[in-house]
Amino acid sequence: MKVVIITGMSGSGKSKALNFFEDNGYYCLDNLPVKLLADIVKMLQKLEGFSQKVCVTMDVRDANIAKDAPAELNELRKLADTKLLFLDCEDSTLLKRYKETRRLHPLMMTNPELDLAGAIAQERVLLEEVRQSADCIVDTSLTTSSELREKLKEEVLRNTEATKMQINFVAFGYKYGLSADFDLVFDVRCLPNPFYVDELKTKTGLDKEVRDYVMSHESSQQLMQRIIDYLDCTIPMYEKEGKAQLVVGFGCTGGQHRSLTFAILLAEHFAEKGYATHAYSRDSRKNIGEIKQR
């Protein structure tokens, strides 16, 4: 089992880091008491079919973190492949972030007499020994969310575990309207329509005959290549920004012939490049209903 423990200064980005690991297939637990770390991992190891990648956060909301962490980490390293990630940040940046969010520092909740600067200073002292035990220290002072994800990918996962973005290719019919969850939309109504070929009218892009007909035209081949070129250029940019899923819509009149052909062929193309892809027709049931009514 692989275990990543995220700790560090409050306001340094631990929640964002936890989201990154969740997007990469880790089972995530937030703010776990240090004393429970080893016991929780032992329990999870016994669960059949459970994820072998776990990520937990711990911070000064656990009053015993400084006292308990060293022994618990030693025990945990005997049980699993364990990495301790410490997120650090400059005091001035932490002060600014707390002022922007208007949230209380955890130590101020237990000691109302502390001001923010004093809470940050006290937290540094409490976490110093934990920081020294860290396998990786990441300074987030000047780091955006996307840059933090890149750092975690390079320094913690070493790029070997990072999951490629999920890409959903969705065929739809313009006569049924657009969907709000589309990130990109390509209109393929400009291409020859198999609906007007008698033997193809009731078939869909799931059928090879329909795909062969659509792609037999030079205009379809040219448009397909231009879409591939565009996605080849933009997908790495979306990944760099930290996007976990991309939804690409292809629209034709009914959403069953041309659009589904493009969705299926592009899903196959990008699956060969290592992406997790899925192709489907949003409006397939509506089309079946209309065909039956005819």
Side-chain angles (χ1 to χ4, degrees), residues 31 68 100 104 113 131 135 168 181 215 225 259 285:
N31 192 28
D68 295 337
E100 289 174 347
L104 282 177
E113 295 181 1
R131 188 181 189 278
D135 299 293
N168 291 336
D181 63 341
M215 298 311 299
Q225 188 56 54
S259 58
R285 292 185 178 181

Side-chain angles (χ1 to χ4, degrees), residues 9-283:
M9 299 297 294
S10 300
S12 60
K14 293 189 294 295
S15 295
K16 292 178 180 178
L18 191 68
N19 292 338
F20 166 80
F21 285 100
E22 187 169 33
D23 288 342
N24 280 278
Y26 280 70
Y27 180 79
C28 294
L29 297 165
D30 191 18
N31 192 28
L32 195 67
V34 178
K35 268 290 189 183
L36 296 180
L37 281 174
D39 289 338
I40 289 290
V41 168
K42 288 177 184 177
M43 290 173 58
L44 296 178
Q45 286 175 329
K46 294 177 182 178
L47 295 179
E48 185 176 349
F50 191 81
S51 172
Q52 290 300 297
K53 298 193 294 184
V54 177
C55 182
V56 300
T57 63
M58 61 181 193
D59 59 33
V60 290
R61 283 175 287 182
D62 180 353
N64 298 312
I65 185 171
K67 176 172 65 73
D68 295 337
E72 284 294 311
L73 286 170
N74 287 336
E75 180 66 20
L76 195 56
R77 293 184 195 279
K78 298 174 185 177
L79 298 171
D81 178 6
T82 303
K83 288 183 180 178
L84 176 61
L85 167 66
F86 190 97
L87 299 185
D88 207 345
C89 190
E90 294 178 356
D91 289 3
S92 58
T93 303
L94 292 174
L95 285 165
K96 182 180 178 182
R97 289 176 183 175
Y98 270 102
K99 287 182 182 296
E100 289 174 347
T101 61
R102 299 183 180 181
R103 298 188 66 190
L104 282 177
H105 190 283
L107 293 180
M108 296 171 67
M109 297 179 187
T110 56
N111 186 354
E113 295 181 1
L114 271 179
D115 61 8
L116 180 55
I120 292 172
Q122 186 173 320
E123 184 179 32
R124 284 205 182 279
V125 174
L126 288 171
L127 293 178
E128 181 55 32
E129 190 172 350
V130 178
R131 188 181 189 278
Q132 291 178 8
S133 302
D135 299 293
C136 181
I137 299 173
V138 175
D139 189 335
T140 67
S141 302
L142 302 174
T143 303
T144 64
S145 296
S146 59
E147 289 170 343
L148 174 59
R149 295 175 73 94
E150 282 299 308
K151 283 189 176 182
L152 295 176
K153 188 186 297 184
E154 294 171 7
E155 298 185 30
V156 182
L157 299 188
R158 304 296 183 190
N159 286 318
T160 58
E161 294 179 51
T163 302
K164 280 189 174 255
M165 185 169 57
Q166 165 81 38
I167 310 176
N168 291 336
F169 296 95
V170 185
F172 71 95
Y174 271 101
K175 64 181 178 179
Y176 303 120
L178 290 167
S179 292
D181 63 341
F182 290 153
D183 295 300
L184 298 169
V185 176
F186 294 97
D187 186 347
V188 295
R189 288 175 295 182
C190 55
L191 303 177
N193 193 350
F195 179 82
Y196 297 109
V197 179
D198 289 339
E199 60 268 26
L200 301 178
K201 179 177 294 189
T202 58
K203 294 182 182 294
T204 75
L206 293 171
D207 298 296
K208 186 176 183 299
E209 306 96 297
V210 171
R211 298 197 299 274
D212 288 346
Y213 175 84
V214 172
M215 298 311 299
S216 67
H217 297 83
E218 185 177 354
S219 56
S220 300
Q221 296 167 19
Q222 290 178 349
L223 182 57
M224 174 69 77
Q225 188 56 54
R226 289 179 183 243
I227 291 174
I228 288 174
D229 292 341
Y230 176 81
L231 293 176
D232 279 340
C233 174
T234 55
I235 285 175
M237 298 180 189
Y238 284 119
E239 286 185 302
K240 189 174 181 180
E241 284 299 308
K243 195 170 182 62
Q245 176 181 263
L246 186 70
V247 182
V248 185
F250 294 92
C252 61
T253 306
Q256 72 176 27
H257 291 116
R258 295 163 291 181
S259 58
L260 189 52
T261 292
F262 268 62
I264 290 172
L265 294 180
L266 282 162
E268 292 175 352
H269 174 83
F270 283 96
E272 291 177 359
K273 293 192 170 189
Y275 290 94
T277 65
H278 182 47
Y280 64 93
S281 172
R282 185 197 68 181
D283 302 319

